[in-house]
Every structure is written in structure tokens, then in C-alpha cells.
Amino acid sequence: MPHAQEVFGPVLNFIFNLYTKLVTREFKNVGENCSIRPVLNTTNPRNISLGNDVSLGIFCWIDTNTSLKQTPSLVIGNRVHIGAYSMIIAADEIQVGDNVLMSERVIILDHIHDYTNIQKAVIDQPIVSKGKIVIENDCFIGANAVIMGNVHIGKHAVIGANSVITKNVPAYSVVVGVPGRLIKKYDFKKKKWLSAK
Ligand SMILES: CC(C)(COP(=O)(O)OP(=O)(O)OC[C@H]1O[C@@H](n2cnc3c(N)ncnc32)[C@H](O)[C@@H]1OP(=O)(O)O)[C@@H](O)C(=O)NCCC(=O)NCCS
């Protein structure tokens, strides 16, 4: 008796490939071998670029918001996995490097609704951005992490589950908590990770 995966696997792959082609047809660029699981939410896909081997889990929201500027940019590098239920929306600019692994429910937003006018509800106030977000190559982002605008995450940085990142994260470091705090750093002389305490 063949295993269910052997029977349905190729059919599912065919359906997912077709789905990926359909939902990315208005993207700016889509590399080879990308895989997007249903259901992808995207309303302004024209300024989204995916490298090769990018995979998205179920129910992601990957988008740009054009209310701040006409051509925001969301660029995702090669060999990036974005876990299920994640949300990445650029009103200004978000860059994700190569070989980046994001767990489930990661939120990356370079903008918010302004709240400073007390005469208007926040929902009625314009979008504002503190600046772009860059995530360098080889990073790991834990489940439920939230990354806000004007933040640079250095190469091979590790962001703990549930962290809220509002400031730059150095390369080869581990940052956890709310707000994110440095707990470990790789020492290239000693060739090991050291506690930042
Ligand atoms: C960030 C992480 C990778 C660090 O792992 P680690 O290097 O083994 O860290 P340690 O277990 O040595 O923890 C070091 C300290 O940081 C704390 N810490 C670790 N992760 C934390 C987190 N996400 N939030 C807050 N504190 C955290 C620990 O409690 C410990 O504190 P202490 O020194 O006061 O005891 C890991 O804790 C993590 O969050 N992984 C993400 C898991 C995930 O999202 N999985 C999804 C499936 S892929």
C-alpha cells in the first residue's frame, strides 16, 4: 500500500506550483523554484521581488503600502523561508538578504499609522515610516518576533522568539526580549559564542 504522501505529494506540488505562479504574476521579480502556500494576501505586488528558492508558509501577508510613496520596495533574497502567518509590509523599503530563516508569525513593518494628532483617531491618520529595514544574510528570526522600522540586522544575527526589535542588531549576535537586548555575541578570536553579560 503506497503512503498517502507518495500518492498526493506530486499532485499537491503541482497545485502549489500553479498557485505560486498565479499569485506572483504581478510581482516585480520572481526567481527560480519559489514556493508559496495558500493563502497569500498581497494587494500591491508590483514592487515585490523574490530571489531564487524563496518559500512562504500558509496565510502570509507580503505586501507594499503605497500611501507613503509611490514605489515602496520589498526585496527578498535567495533561499529565504518565511514561516506561516507572517506579515512583511513595506511602505518605504524592506530588504531581506540570502539564506534567512524566519519562523512562524514574524511581523516586519517599516511603518505605522501616525498617532500624534489627538483630534483624529489613529485609524484616520496618515502612514509614517521611521526608515528602511535591512536584514542581512544568514539571519534567523524566531517565532512571533516583531521588527520595526529604521532597523539594520547584521549578518548571521539571531532574533529570539517573541522579541520586539526597535534598534539595530549587530552581526553575529543573539538578541532576545522586549525590547530586544543583546545576550550573546560570536568571538572570532576565541571562535565561540560568548555571553554578553
Ligand atoms: C534566541 C535563541 C535562539 C537563543 O537560544 P540559546 O542561545 O540556546 O539561548 P539560551 O537558552 O542559552 O538563553 C540565554 C538567556 O536568554 C534567555 N532567552 C532565550 N531566548 C529568549 C527569548 N526568546 N526571549 C527572552 N529571553 C530569552 C534565556 O532565558 C537565558 O536567560 P538567562 O541567562 O537569564 O538564564 C532561542 O532562545 C530562541 O528564542 N529560539 C527561537 C525558537 C523559535 O522561534 N522556534 C520556531 C521554530 S524554528
Side-chain angles (χ1 to χ4, degrees), residues 4 16 72 93 125 140 149 179 182:
F16 291 145
E93 187 176 346
Q125 298 198 41
F140 169 78
L182 184 75

Side-chain angles (χ1 to χ4, degrees), residues 103-104 140 142-143 158 160-161 174 176-177 181 183-184 197:
S103 305
E104 287 67 37
F140 169 78
V158 171
V174 181
V176 301
R181 67 190 160 87
I183 58 161
K184 292 184 187 182
K197 275 182 186 167

Side-chain angles (χ1 to χ4, degrees), residues 5-26:
Q5 183 61 30
E6 288 174 53
V7 180
F8 296 115
V11 179
L12 284 175
N13 281 343
F14 176 79
I15 292 169
F16 291 145
N17 283 340
L18 198 62
Y19 180 77
T20 301
K21 286 206 169 74
L22 276 173
V23 289
T24 58
R25 67 194 185 283
E26 288 183 59

Side-chain angles (χ1 to χ4, degrees), residues 81 101-106 140-145 158-163 173-178 181-184 193 195 197:
H81 176 72
L101 174 58
M102 295 185 204
S103 305
E104 287 67 37
R105 297 175 299 276
V106 167
F140 169 78
I141 320 278
N144 296 312
V158 171
I159 309 295
N162 282 323
S163 300
S173 68
V174 181
V175 168
V176 301
V178 183
R181 67 190 160 87
L182 184 75
I183 58 161
K184 292 184 187 182
W193 289 88
S195 166
K197 275 182 186 167

